[in-house]
Amino acid sequence: MYLREGWVVGHAGLGGAWLIIAASITIAACTGLSLSSIATNTQIKAGGAYAIIARSLGLEIGTTVGLALYFAQTLAITMYIFGFREGWLSIFPTHDPLMIDIFLFISIGIIAIKSAKLSFQLQYVVMGVTVLSIVIAAFGPWRSSPAEIVWWGLSSNHSPHGFWTLFAVFFPAVTGVMAGAAMSGELKDPSRAIPQGTLSAIAVSGVIYFALAYILSRMGSPEQLIQNTDILTQRCAWPWFMQFAILCATASSALATLVGAPRIIQAVAMDESIPMSNWLKERASDGEPRNATFLTAGIALIALSLRDLNSIAPLITICFLCTYAMINGVVVIEQGLGLVNFRPRIRIPILVPAIGFTGSVVAMLVIKPALSLSTLGLMILLYDWMSRQERREDQADVRGNLFVALAQWAAIRADSLPRSEARAWRPYPMVPIIDSSLESTKLATDLLSAGDRLNLVELIPRTSTSIDLTEINQTIEAAGLNHSHTVIHYTHRDLALGTTIQALRGSFFRPNILCLSLETLWSADELNHIVQTARQAQMGLVLQAKGQDLTESSSFLNVWIRPQSPKWDMTSTVGSMDLAILIALRLSNQLNYQIRLISTIPNMEEYEKGRHFLAQVIEKGRLSRRTEIQLVVGHFQTAQKTVPTAAAQIFGLSESAIHQSAQAICKTSKGRILFVQGSGQESVLD
């Protein structure tokens, strides 16, 4: 901003400079919005962008991009030191440039090693100095005789640099959007702090860059702006203060980057995916990543030998653009697939990350094609090497699930990867058909969106002919669903269904929910056997029944949460109701229902505990803020008669006496009734 924006304006003209700033801010804003969306959808662990990419696209890609980001930030330390040197030499032109670099390097190194907290406290002072420096720039002596604005300079003889060369020099000015994410492990509430800090920083800096470009264009001619990088200092109200501001800004940027970069490499080391992981992941007694800081300082010291700011700016830009592209790509994939677990508090149109991804890739290839291709080639080699390494069982990601949804041709590769079933859960219902009634498929079609997959299992007695499925097939086709159709001839239908469940669990598109209609005549013994088989096969189960007719229409879904009395403590699960809440979310999205969480309490003394528990379910489960809460004093049977009516009632499935319990509830409840048993693979909190 202080030393290079005037140089950019001189070469490009004010209009060209504004285009460069706009392109940079657009890519940064799209990435900031994508980062904010992810931050409000999941708990970001230490490592910021690395943690996001590794969890979504796999450890191999995460490590590859994480190392690129780490080296970009490490080289940025050198860039800021070079900027400090230029500012210092404008005050003391006779000083040795190398000694200036070493002096600042040692100073920020001591502070970074001592305490990250101290480095952040210094940022408040720097912020005040920076704001005041902009004010004195706006009210300098240049106002008495402002230069004439030159709108376009790229085609004139005085500018040998093209648009993308100037873009590469300026773009590091917007790479600070990653600073907050890099410190994600130190933030008290990353899901709130990262969006607020990132988006407000982009907005404020964007206004400043545009305004300062105008001021610089009035301070001198293009030739003066190009030849004199200190023109902002010389033509402001207080030149001495501007010099002080440049030193503060460059030194603080170098310090903040030296504090943030080691935390990225330490997060990579925590996954034991690079050499020296055990050494790098160690923390000092005060919690600071000393070893990672020493490594970062060593690399930055080597980079000081380059001695030129402009020579390393393109490499820094390309590495940052790789990271930006991946962050936007994560949102494009997860949002584009419509995963139930992608429920960020900050929702953005998919066009935003798509623009960020495309802009990052195009800019990277246009700035320095040879350097970009070389960098990408090294990253591909690193990815290939990472793919050959053994991984721990707990290093699962959602790539297997993403390949399932993206394309069937990737099935073999996807099945070979570890999956995080809970994070990328989506319903794949299995529906037994024993007659031509539509009741058996109604729930499944309500749960699924167009393009989703449904498994039909036609159960036919050995002495009977096939069932007429014309109406059922028409309903499925009208809903735009894909479906498979299996025909089973049986002697004992519960045994046949159990065998089918076990067989289909080995298929690639394996069903994860068994949908049964209690309107079908299942005996108590058959029902108990099916429930046990589904539980053993780790398949969720939904039994659909019909209660008393509603006297009026309702737009609510009542989800009954099992009482947690007396502790009401929610750790990593919501009792056995994860699948029930996920089904409620699906039905709510598909049929535009509003969710109501209901539980019972033994007395009013537990009212606040119960209400806080349900509020936590809404907050941590990222349910709609329109979700209602209701607590009823007394037993479950009594509560059913007092709660408001709903289009559907969703209950947990009792471990025993299923048939009798279902009949009893159907007699007292109104509307559609669903009994749900989770498989243990679902999580509404993930």
Side-chain angles (χ1 to χ4, degrees):
M1 183 179 74
Y2 292 109
L3 300 173
R4 285 295 178 268
E5 187 166 353
W7 182 83
V8 171
V9 173
H11 281 291
L14 180 59
W18 276 352
L19 279 178
I20 291 169
I21 295 170
S24 302
I25 292 293
T26 298
I27 294 175
C30 290
T31 305
L33 287 168
S34 295
L35 184 66
S36 300
S37 183
I38 298 171
T40 59
N41 183 64
T42 185
Q43 184 67 35
I44 297 182
K45 299 181 181 179
Y50 160 74
I52 291 170
I53 297 169
R55 185 174 183 185
S56 296
L57 299 182
L59 188 65
E60 294 88 351
I61 296 179
T63 300
T64 303
V65 179
L67 290 176
L69 175 61
Y70 168 71
F71 282 111
Q73 292 210 335
T74 303
L75 292 176
I77 298 171
T78 305
M79 181 183 68
Y80 294 131
I81 291 176
F82 288 166
F84 178 89
R85 180 222 300 164
E86 288 192 26
W88 186 277
L89 288 175
S90 68
I91 306 173
F92 307 105
T94 60
H95 286 191
D96 185 354
L98 181 60
M99 291 298 101
I100 298 171
D101 293 347
I102 294 176
F103 165 75
L104 179 61
F105 176 80
I106 294 174
S107 300
I108 64 173
I110 292 173
I111 297 174
I113 292 173
K114 181 175 178 58
S115 172
K117 183 178 181 181
L118 175 61
S119 68
F120 282 127
Q121 290 172 341
L122 293 174
Q123 300 297 324
Y124 291 103
V125 177
V126 175
M127 181 175 66
V129 172
T130 303
V131 171
L132 187 55
S133 71
I134 296 168
V135 174
I136 67 172
F139 294 95
W142 62 270
R143 293 169 61 89
S144 60
S145 57
E148 183 179 352
I149 295 177
V150 176
W151 286 101
W152 307 104
L154 292 174
S155 60
S156 61
N157 294 329
H158 66 255
S159 178
H161 299 291
F163 178 90
W164 292 108
T165 301
L166 300 176
F167 175 87
V169 172
F170 179 80
F171 187 81
V174 300
T175 56
V177 299
M178 303 306 299
M183 299 299 297
S184 57
E186 312 293 328
L187 300 174
K188 293 181 180 179
D189 187 1
S191 63
R192 185 179 299 273
I194 289 176
Q196 289 181 350
T198 301
L199 297 180
S200 60
I202 293 171
V204 172
S205 58
V207 172
I208 291 173
Y209 291 153
F210 277 108
L212 196 59
Y214 171 79
I215 293 172
L216 286 163
S217 71
R218 306 306 301 270
M219 282 187 171
S221 66
E223 290 79 6
Q224 291 173 321
L225 293 174
I226 293 170
Q227 296 170 5
N228 184 8
T229 57
D230 292 325
I231 194 169
L232 189 64
T233 299
Q234 297 170 359
R235 301 193 179 183
C236 71
W238 299 341
W240 63 269
F241 188 86
M242 185 64 73
Q243 291 172 326
F244 175 67
I246 292 173
L247 298 181
C248 287
T250 50
S252 68
S253 295
L255 176 59
T257 310
L258 183 56
V259 170
R263 284 160 170 79
I264 297 175
I265 195 65
Q266 186 185 51
V268 177
M270 292 297 291
D271 287 324
E272 300 179 358
S273 56
I274 56 174
M276 301 191 303
S277 291
N278 291 332
W279 182 74
L280 287 171
K281 68 183 181 182
E282 288 182 3
R283 285 181 177 267
S285 57
D286 57 359
E288 295 295 322
R290 292 278 191 276
N291 294 344
T293 302
F294 289 142
L295 175 65
T296 303
I299 296 174
L301 186 60
I302 295 172
L304 284 175
S305 62
L306 296 175
R307 315 303 303 145
D308 182 23
L309 186 154
N310 293 341
S311 65
I312 64 173
L315 180 59
I316 295 172
T317 299
I318 288 168
C319 290
F320 270 112
L321 285 169
C322 284
T323 307
Y324 285 14
M326 284 298 177
I327 291 174
N328 286 294
V330 167
V331 179
V332 169
I333 292 173
E334 294 203 353
Q335 185 170 333
L337 292 176
L339 299 178
V340 177
N341 290 81
F342 188 74
R343 304 190 301 279
R345 290 297 187 190
I346 297 180
R347 280 200 167 273
I348 57 176
I350 196 170
L351 183 62
V352 171
I355 292 174
F357 176 82
T358 305
S360 299
V361 173
V362 171
M364 181 173 60
L365 294 175
V366 174
I367 289 172
K368 290 280 187 180
L371 183 60
S372 297
L373 292 174
S374 299
T375 303
L376 289 174
L378 288 174
M379 293 175 69
I380 291 172
L381 290 175
L382 178 59
Y383 172 80
D384 181 67
W385 177 79
M386 284 289 303
S387 300
R388 300 173 187 272
Q389 306 305 305
E390 293 185 3
R391 295 171 53 181
R392 302 193 311 265
E393 291 184 359
D394 61 342
Q395 292 176 330
D397 51 65
V398 301
R399 284 177 301 161
N401 308 80
L402 296 179
F403 279 126
V404 171
L406 284 171
Q408 191 170 358
W409 60 264
I412 297 176
R413 173 63 177 163
D415 206 34
S416 67
L417 295 171
R419 301 184 190 177
S420 174
E421 295 287 347
R423 176 159 168 73
W425 181 90
R426 64 187 305 160
Y428 289 115
M430 172 180 169
V431 180
I433 305 292
I434 61 176
D435 56 40
S436 59
S437 172
L438 290 174
E439 287 298 319
S440 56
T441 58
K442 180 171 175 54
L443 174 62
T445 54
D446 287 345
L447 281 175
L448 301 179
S449 303
D452 284 344
R453 188 175 183 83
L454 173 64
N455 295 272
L456 298 181
V457 178
E458 186 179 351
L459 297 173
I460 306 173
R462 291 190 180 277
T463 58
S464 302
T465 58
S466 61
I467 303 169
D468 183 8
L469 300 181
T470 303
E471 193 172 1
I472 292 176
N473 288 331
Q474 289 175 348
T475 302
I476 294 173
E477 290 175 5
L481 304 178
N482 297 316
H483 74 282
S484 62
H485 183 193
T486 304
V487 179
I488 303 294
H489 292 272
Y490 69 85
T491 303
H492 301 284
R493 61 181 179 180
D494 58 326
L495 295 177
L497 181 57
T499 302
T500 306
I501 290 173
Q502 295 172 3
L504 290 181
R505 287 296 293 172
S507 64
F508 180 72
F509 289 102
R510 45 187 177 269
N512 56 11
I513 299 176
L514 178 62
C515 296
L516 294 180
S517 172
L518 290 179
E519 301 298 313
T520 305
L521 298 178
W522 296 96
S523 68
D525 290 338
E526 287 178 324
L527 202 55
N528 283 319
H529 181 260
I530 292 170
V531 170
Q532 291 296 328
T533 303
R535 185 179 294 123
Q536 292 170 3
Q538 291 187 319
M539 180 184 290
L541 178 65
V542 180
L543 304 180
Q544 179 176 242
K546 186 177 181 182
Q548 301 176 27
D549 291 334
L550 285 171
T551 56
E552 57 182 351
S553 61
S554 174
S555 60
F556 278 86
L557 295 173
N558 286 347
V559 181
W560 291 78
I561 303 296
R562 192 162 296 164
Q564 306 293 313
S565 180
K567 292 185 177 181
W568 294 97
D569 178 39
M570 183 176 68
T571 53
S572 61
T573 184
V574 190
S576 60
M577 296 301 295
D578 291 282
L579 179 57
I581 295 176
L582 289 173
I583 286 177
L585 282 167
R586 266 284 179 160
L587 293 175
S588 174
N589 293 334
Q590 296 288 98
L591 305 176
N592 198 28
Y593 285 136
Q594 186 174 342
I595 297 174
R596 180 190 291 128
L597 301 183
I598 303 174
S599 191
T600 60
I601 53 177
N603 50 61
M604 287 301 296
E605 294 178 0
E606 291 193 21
Y607 181 84
E608 287 302 323
K609 289 183 180 180
R611 185 169 185 82
H612 177 71
F613 175 85
L614 295 182
Q616 286 290 95
V617 173
I618 294 173
E619 179 63 24
K620 294 188 176 182
R622 307 182 301 283
L623 275 64
S624 168
R625 299 191 188 279
R626 296 172 58 241
T627 302
E628 291 191 1
I629 291 174
Q630 182 161 353
L631 290 166
V632 182
V633 178
H635 295 292
F636 170 70
Q637 291 80 2
T638 306
Q640 291 180 69
K641 301 176 182 178
T642 60
V643 299
T645 58
Q649 307 270 359
I650 303 178
F651 302 91
L653 195 60
S654 175
E655 293 291 329
S656 60
I658 298 168
H659 206 272
Q660 293 85 341
S661 299
Q663 289 180 337
I665 291 174
C666 289
K667 290 179 181 178
T668 56
S669 297
K670 297 179 179 180
R672 193 178 187 181
I673 299 174
L674 303 178
F675 300 94
V676 179
Q677 171 187 283
S679 67
Q681 302 298 311
E682 314 89 5
S683 174
V684 75
L685 305 182
D686 201 304

